[in-house]
């Protein structure tokens, strides 16, 4: 393996959504270097952070019916039972909910927690309060995916904007069949993702735990522990 190939394999891919931002920061760096070098160096650091923010590393997703993987990187901020927002049409009974808070240093590519079909995609405008607050699930701008599994169970993934995050991007479409760990969206720049599980499901996550999108197992919808395989996504 050549030195160039070795270096290339160590670099994390950048999602195309980030190219305009990285280019803008880089251009600003050149202008600021011309005006005053210290500002140019600060802008260069901001450019490097922007490239880091839009990283899109491959993930190894466990593949087995019933496994629910994390839809986002970040810290598990809450594991509770909560009534899902009405637009999800998941009923009025409290459901198990796992909330993952993404800081500006986490990877912000969101992935499907299960294999299935996207039954509904619902966008709702709202406020931009801190995504770490519990009321952000109801008050903030959000975009939700309702996913139906092959066994008929329905799971909702909700992207929630925060104080800094002002743009929710969806990669998926209604009616699309998706695999567990498949990329479904992106939030810029610091936000939260809630996942609503079927009633009676016992979450396998704990508050304060670090989650890795497409890899960390949050729940198991099956009681029997069958053999598990893995897929690079």
């Amino acid at each position: 393996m050549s030195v160039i190939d070795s270096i290339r394999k160590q670099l994390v891919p950048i999602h195309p959504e980030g190219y305009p931002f990285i280019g803008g920061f880089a251009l600003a760096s050149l202008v600021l270097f011309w005006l005053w070098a210290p500002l140019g160096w600060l802008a260069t650091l901001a450019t490097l952070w922007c490239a880091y923010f839009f990283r899109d590393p491959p993930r190894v997703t466990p593949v087995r019916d019933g496994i629910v993987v994390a839809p986002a990187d970040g810290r598990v901020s809450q594991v509770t039972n909560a009534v899902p927002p009405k637009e999800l049409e998941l009923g009025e009974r409290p459901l198990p909910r796992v909330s993952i808070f993404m800081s500006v240093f986490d990877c912000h590519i969101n992935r499907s927690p299960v294999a299935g079909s996207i039954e509904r995609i619902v966008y709702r405008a709202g406020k931009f309060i801190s995504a770490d607050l519990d009321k952000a699930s109801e008050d903030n701008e959000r975009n939700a995916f309702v996913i139906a599994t092959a066994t008929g169970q329905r799971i909702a993934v909700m992207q929630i904007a925060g104080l800094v995050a002002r743009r929710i991007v969806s990669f998926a479409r209604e009616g699309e069949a998706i695999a567990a760990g498949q990329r479904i969206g992106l939030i810029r720049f610091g936000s939260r993702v809630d996942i609503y599980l079927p009633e009676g499901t016992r979450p396998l996550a704990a508050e304060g735990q670090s989650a890795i999108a497409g890899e960390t197992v949050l729940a198991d919808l099956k009681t029997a522990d069958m053999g598990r395989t893995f897929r690079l996504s």
Side-chain angles (χ1 to χ4, degrees), residues 105-187:
F105 298 105
D106 289 312
C107 176
H108 274 54
I109 301 295
N110 300 144
R111 294 171 179 260
S112 174
V114 293
S117 175
I118 298 180
E119 191 175 272
R120 304 179 67 232
I121 299 178
V122 187
Y123 170 81
R124 181 169 176 177
K127 300 177 182 179
F128 295 97
I129 62 175
S130 174
D132 210 16
L133 298 176
D134 187 54
K135 63 180 180 179
S137 294
E138 285 288 343
D139 295 342
N140 278 23
E141 176 177 328
R142 56 189 184 263
N143 185 65
F145 303 86
V146 178
I147 304 170
T149 68
T151 57
Q153 293 169 301
R154 301 168 76 206
I155 292 173
V157 179
M158 180 171 289
Q159 300 170 294
I160 303 173
L163 279 173
V164 183
R166 298 286 171 143
R167 178 79 169 115
I168 298 174
V169 181
S170 175
F171 303 154
R173 301 183 304 275
E174 285 189 1
E176 179 181 355
I178 54 174
Q182 181 175 327
R183 297 164 180 82
I184 58 174
L186 164 72
I187 316 177

